[in-house]
Amino acid sequence: MELTPQIKEKLTLLQEKYEAMGQDMVSYLDGLLYADFLTYWDYIHLDTLLSLQSPKTPFPDEEIFIMYHQITELYFKLSLHECKQIATNENLTANFFTERVKRINAYFNALTTSFEVMVNGMEKEQFLKFRMSLLPASGFQSGQYRMIEISATDFSQLVDKSKRNELANASIEEKFEYIYWKFGATELASGKQTLTLKQFINKYATQFLALAKEREHSNFASLYKQLEAKGEDVEELAEELRKLDLYVNVEWPLSHYKSAVRYLEKDPVDIAATGGTNWQKYLPPRFQKRIFYPFLWTEEQMEEWGKGWVLSVLQTLKNKQ
C-alpha cells in the first residue's frame, strides 16, 4: 500500500503528539495493530445493560416498570451532563447556555411524552401486587432529579412555599430542613417522616448540600441574571428557561399524577403502593407552585400555575372508566 501524503501527514502529527507526552508512537501502533475492531454492542456495553433488570416478583409487567425507571434515570443523567457544562463554563455565553438548555428540554420532552408507558402500559392488578413487594422504594427517591432542581434554580425556590419568605436569607442548611419534597413523604396521621424519606436523606443529604453550595452562584437562575447584567441578549434563553420550568415543575409531576390517579385513586388501601409519599398533595403542580424563574413569569401566570391541568386529567381518566 502506498503511503499517500495524507497518511504521512497523519503519522507526522501522531509522532508529534506522542513525543510531546514522552511516549513512543511505535508502541501505540503495535497496540492498534493487535486490537480488535470495535463493535456496537461492546461500545455501549449492551449485554450488561440488558442484564440490569431483576424483577422481584413473577408478574411480567414489573419488567416494564423497572426498564422505564432505568430509562428515566439515563435521561436525568443526560440532563445533569448539560447542567455541569453550563455551570462550569468559564466563558459562558447566552448562546451556549441556550443551546444546552434546549438539550435538557428535549430530554424532558421525551420523558413527558413517553410517560404513557407508565399511565396505560401496565395492568393495574399486576401493578398493585408487584408494587407492594417493592416497599419502601419509590421514584420519589431519585437523587438525580433533585440534583437537576438544585442546578436549575436558586435554592430558596425549593423551600416549601409556606417557609420561602421566612427563610429567604437563611443558610442552605436551614433551607434544606424545609425543602419541599420532605413534605411529600410524611405520614398523614402522625406527621412523621416515612422510611422512604429517611432512606433518601441518609443516602443523599450530604451530596445535595454540597451541590447546593457549589451551585449557589452558578445555578441557571443566577447565571441568567449575570448574563443579563452584562448586557447579553437573553431573550431566547428566557424562552427556553420558561419551557424548562414548565417541563420540570408542571408537565413531569403531572405525568406522575396521571399514573397515580390511574393506579391508586379508588381504594385508600392502595395508596400505600406509592412507597409512603403523600402524592395527592405532593404531585399536583397547583398545590406546590414550584417555580424556578419567577422573574420570567407574570403575577397572573404564577397565580394560575398548574391550575386546570389536574382537573382536566381527572376528568379525562374518569371518562375512560
Side-chain angles (χ1 to χ4, degrees):
M1 176 181 134
E2 179 186 358
L3 290 178
T4 64
Q6 291 85 356
I7 293 175
K8 290 179 180 179
E9 181 184 2
K10 297 295 184 185
L11 287 172
T12 299
L13 292 172
L14 280 173
Q15 182 70 33
E16 292 174 357
K17 173 183 175 179
Y18 288 114
E19 282 183 354
M21 295 184 291
Q23 299 292 299
D24 176 26
M25 183 184 73
V26 175
S27 298
Y28 283 88
L29 290 177
D30 282 340
L32 183 61
L33 178 64
Y34 299 122
D36 289 332
F37 290 105
L38 186 64
T39 62
Y40 168 78
W41 48 90
D42 285 335
Y43 179 63
I44 66 166
H45 299 281
L46 183 60
D47 292 339
T48 300
L49 181 65
L50 298 181
S51 71
L52 295 178
Q53 294 76 47
S54 302
K56 305 300 180 186
T57 72
F59 298 105
D61 281 1
E62 188 187 348
E63 284 207 49
I64 298 171
F65 189 75
I66 294 171
M67 282 186 275
Y68 189 79
H69 280 83
Q70 290 176 335
I71 291 166
T72 296
E73 290 297 330
L74 287 174
Y75 272 116
F76 287 167
K77 186 172 183 178
L78 282 169
S79 297
L80 284 172
H81 178 67
E82 307 301 340
C83 289
K84 185 176 181 180
Q85 287 192 69
I86 294 167
T88 60
N89 190 309
E90 295 182 358
N91 299 298
L92 185 65
T93 64
N95 182 64
F96 182 92
F97 196 169
T98 302
E99 291 304 313
R100 266 54 187 182
V101 176
K102 282 183 178 179
R103 293 181 184 181
I104 299 172
N105 286 338
Y107 304 146
F108 269 91
N109 180 61
L111 284 169
T112 54
T113 55
S114 67
F115 208 82
E116 196 70 18
V117 171
M118 290 290 289
V119 176
N120 293 312
M122 299 178 294
E123 292 181 6
K124 181 175 180 178
E125 293 72 20
Q126 286 193 45
F127 172 82
L128 290 174
K129 289 177 181 178
F130 75 69
R131 186 64 186 89
M132 295 305 293
S133 71
L134 311 181
L135 297 177
S138 169
F140 172 92
Q141 295 174 318
S142 173
Q144 290 197 115
Y145 182 69
R146 308 305 174 194
M147 293 175 198
I148 292 170
E149 291 181 316
I150 292 169
S151 298
T153 189
D154 186 286
F155 200 67
S156 293
Q157 293 303 118
L158 302 179
V159 172
D160 185 78
K161 65 179 182 179
S162 66
K163 290 285 186 176
R164 277 177 206 161
N165 292 333
E166 179 184 337
L167 297 176
N169 298 313
S171 68
I172 286 175
E173 286 83 0
E174 290 173 309
K175 292 175 182 177
F176 183 69
E177 290 304 310
Y178 293 93
I179 197 164
Y180 81 90
W181 44 258
K182 288 187 179 182
F183 295 85
T186 56
E187 296 176 359
L188 292 176
S190 66
K192 294 180 180 179
Q193 292 184 347
T194 61
L195 180 56
T196 300
L197 179 57
K198 290 177 181 177
Q199 289 177 329
F200 190 53
I201 291 173
N202 287 339
K203 179 170 177 61
Y204 287 113
T206 301
Q207 193 172 351
F208 289 161
L209 286 168
L211 182 62
K213 292 176 181 178
E214 187 178 334
R215 294 286 176 265
E216 188 170 8
H217 301 295
S218 60
N219 63 72
F220 290 0
S222 179
L223 292 173
Y224 172 89
K225 290 177 180 178
Q226 291 171 37
L227 290 175
E228 185 180 40
K230 291 179 181 177
E232 286 210 35
D233 182 356
V234 292
E235 183 177 352
E236 187 178 4
L237 174 57
E239 180 60 27
E240 292 304 319
L241 288 176
R242 279 191 287 266
K243 289 179 184 177
L244 179 64
D245 217 346
L246 289 174
Y247 272 131
V248 179
N249 292 320
V250 176
E251 298 295 340
W252 185 240
L254 181 60
S255 297
H256 287 72
Y257 191 78
K258 289 180 183 179
S259 180
V261 170
R262 163 74 171 84
Y263 293 108
L264 305 174
E265 183 201 16
K266 290 186 176 179
D267 188 349
V269 176
D270 295 342
I271 293 174
T274 58
T277 57
N278 181 12
W279 62 269
Q280 296 96 327
K281 290 187 177 180
Y282 169 70
L283 289 176
R286 66 191 178 97
F287 292 157
Q288 289 293 330
K289 284 199 176 178
R290 292 190 303 278
I291 303 176
F292 288 161
Y293 315 109
F295 51 86
L296 295 180
W297 302 98
T298 67
E299 288 296 329
E300 182 180 1
Q301 287 170 329
M302 289 190 286
E303 181 62 29
E304 295 297 312
W305 193 260
K307 287 184 179 179
W309 280 284
V310 173
L311 293 177
S312 67
V313 170
L314 284 172
Q315 190 58 50
T316 299
L317 290 170
K318 285 179 180 178
N319 290 341
K320 289 182 178 179
Q321 293 172 357

